[in-house]
Amino acid sequence: MTYFLVAVLVVLAIMVVVSLVRGVVAFMKTTKIDLETGEGETATDMQLMQNKAMFARIKYQAAAIAVVALILMLSR
């Protein structure tokens, strides 16, 4: 059971990193669009994408913390 939970934890950690990278890339694109156009309104879609990626990261981190807590409970 512990091996399974560790595997789940590794997958969640990978998902956290992927979500973080996607959010940072969306932020960089938003900044680039703002600098090129001089307007903040054209970046609305990218800002929504950034928010979705960051919310996904928070969900995966919460799930990873829950798995760590479960591993600690099972190991005692």
Side-chain angles (χ1 to χ4, degrees):
M1 180 70 168
T2 303
Y3 293 114
F4 172 73
L5 290 175
V6 170
V8 169
L9 184 60
V10 169
V11 169
L12 287 171
I14 291 169
M15 293 170 74
V16 166
V17 171
V18 168
S19 296
L20 179 63
V21 170
R22 290 182 69 198
V24 169
V25 167
F27 177 74
M28 290 173 57
K29 286 181 181 178
T30 301
T31 304
K32 182 180 177 185
I33 290 170
D34 285 345
L35 289 173
E36 288 175 353
T37 62
E39 299 176 5
E41 294 181 21
T42 58
T44 304
D45 292 336
M46 295 307 293
Q47 288 171 345
L48 291 174
M49 186 172 127
Q50 177 185 355
N51 287 342
K52 287 180 184 178
M54 290 301 130
F55 186 70
R57 178 185 57 86
I58 291 168
K59 288 189 301 188
Y60 298 141
Q61 282 179 326
I65 290 170
V67 170
V68 168
L70 189 59
I71 290 172
L72 288 174
M73 285 192 306
L74 291 176
S75 68
R76 292 184 182 194

